[in-house]
Each structure stands twice: as structure tokens, then as C-alpha cells.
């Protein structure tokens, strides 16, 4: 009788994640936190409308066994630097803090390849800072996934990402050793890995892109 908590269910990874959780008998309830209406309709799914500007109002709802966090944005979608920081840094940290306070056992987080709290680039810097906070909170089980370019059908058009996927897919046969983690990866496979990390005791916290594929 496990309850999954999902943030980012409408995204590329989150969509696959929810579909897989619905099919997985390990979970009898899936709590999905969304800002707007969703077409998801299943008896296992509880849809909770959330105000990300007032997360404290949802403390009693962020409860369950395993929390899956897939929320992310781009500079294009969040051009204001304060909004960008809120989505990439402030929101995941606050949700993790609430989840820990509510005795949620596992937190599974989608980070980024080359995440580094000391980076000069905000994207990988914020991901690295969230990773640090998650480790500090000391969940019973923590999973940090650092996927490379994600393959899958997005709702929005990301030209730069498409170019990167094309280039690194072509170069994949030449990427060995420490460069294997740069190979593009299917968003569906990332979702599968998130669930496996939550369900099993893998004795590992951080998974680079090539390690995610092995799961």
C-alpha cells in the first residue's frame, strides 16, 4: 500500500513516470500536484491543485512514501532571473523540506549532467545546490539522476536541445569512458529508473546518464 507523490507530471519525464506508476501494482495511490487542469484520469490518481507561491499551504497534502520531482524550466520559459531561480532552486528545496518534515521516506530528483553548486552557469549551479540540500535533509532513500539530452516528444519546441541531441546521437559511438554520460537518453528510460531507485536498495545516490540507462 504505497503512495507516490509526483511533481512535474506534465513534463517529458513526468508524463512517462505517471503512466508507469499507474501500471505498477507496488503503488496503490499516486498524488499529482499540478498548477492547472490535467487530462489524467485514473482511479489510483489523486490530482491536487497547488500554488507554488504558497507551498506552506499544502504541507498537509505533501504526504506519502516516495516523492518524485521532475519540475524544470528553461530561460526561454522563465526569462525573469527571479522566476528562473524559484523554479530551479527555491521550489525543489522547499518541497523537499516539507516532504522530510512529513516523514516521506524517499526523494527521487531529476538533476542535470554536470550539476555543480560552484558553477558559473545558473542551470547546473542551481541543480547542484538542490542536490546539496537533499543530501543535508538525509532522506531514508535519496536518488539523484543526472540525465544528458532527453529524447522524447516535448510539447514545446527546443531548437538548441534538438541540435544537441542530433549531434551527440551521431557522436555516441565515439563517446567512451567519462564521456559516455553525454550520450542522449530516452525520457521513458529515465522514468523507469526513477521508480526502480525508489523501490530497490541500490546503495547509491547519484546516477549519471549512462548509469541511468543500465538501470
Amino acid at each position: 500500500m504505497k503512495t507516490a507523490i509526483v511533481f512535474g507530471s506534465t513534463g517529458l519525464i513526468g508524463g512517462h513516470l505517471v503512466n508507469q506508476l499507474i501500471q505498477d501494482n507496488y503503488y496503490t495511490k499516486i498524488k499529482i500536484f499540478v498548477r492547472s487542469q490535467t487530462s489524467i484520469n485514473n482511479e489510483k490518481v489523486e490530482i491536487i491543485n497547488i500554488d507554488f507561491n504558497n507551498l506552506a499551504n499544502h504541507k498537509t497534502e505533501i504526504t506519502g512514501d516516495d516523492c518524485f520531482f521532475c519540475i524544470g524550466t528553461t530561460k526561454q520559459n522563465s526569462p525573469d532571473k527571479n522566476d528562473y531561480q524559484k523554479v530551479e532552486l527555491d521550489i525543489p528545496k522547499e518541497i523537499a523540506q516539507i516532504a522530510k518534515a512529513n516523514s516521506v521516506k524517499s526523494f527521487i530528483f531529476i538533476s542535470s549532467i554536470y550539476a555543480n553548486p560552484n558553477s558559473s552557469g545558473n542551470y547546473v549551479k542551481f541543480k547542484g545546490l538542490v542536490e546539496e540540500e537533499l543530501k543535508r535533509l538525509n532522506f531514508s532513500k535519496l536518488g539523484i539522476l543526472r540525465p544528458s539530452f532527453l529524447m522524447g516528444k516535448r510539447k514545446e519546441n527546443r531548437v538548441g536541445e534538438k541540435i544537441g541531441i542530433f549531434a551527440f546521437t551521431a557522436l555516441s559511438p565515439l563517446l567512451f569512458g567519462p564521456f559516455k554520460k553525454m550520450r542522449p537518453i530516452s525520457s521513458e528510460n529515465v522514468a523507469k529508473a526513477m521508480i526502480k531507485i525508489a523501490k530497490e536498495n541500490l546503495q547509491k545516490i547519484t546516477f549519471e546518464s549512462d548509469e541511468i540507462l543500465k538501470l
Side-chain angles (χ1 to χ4, degrees), residues 55-68:
L55 287 171
N57 294 339
H58 301 278
K59 283 185 177 180
T60 59
E61 297 171 308
I62 303 176
T63 56
D65 297 287
D66 304 325
C67 184
F68 299 90

Side-chain angles (χ1 to χ4, degrees), residues 10-13 70 72-74 77 123 148-159 161-162 165 185 187:
T10 60
L12 186 58
I13 295 173
C70 315
T73 188
T74 63
N77 291 335
Y123 181 71
S148 181
F149 293 103
L150 292 169
M151 294 185 292
K153 189 176 181 180
R154 291 189 183 275
K155 293 179 181 178
E156 74 272 21
N157 187 26
R158 297 185 181 182
V159 177
E161 188 174 75
K162 286 183 177 179
I165 290 172
I185 185 169
S187 51

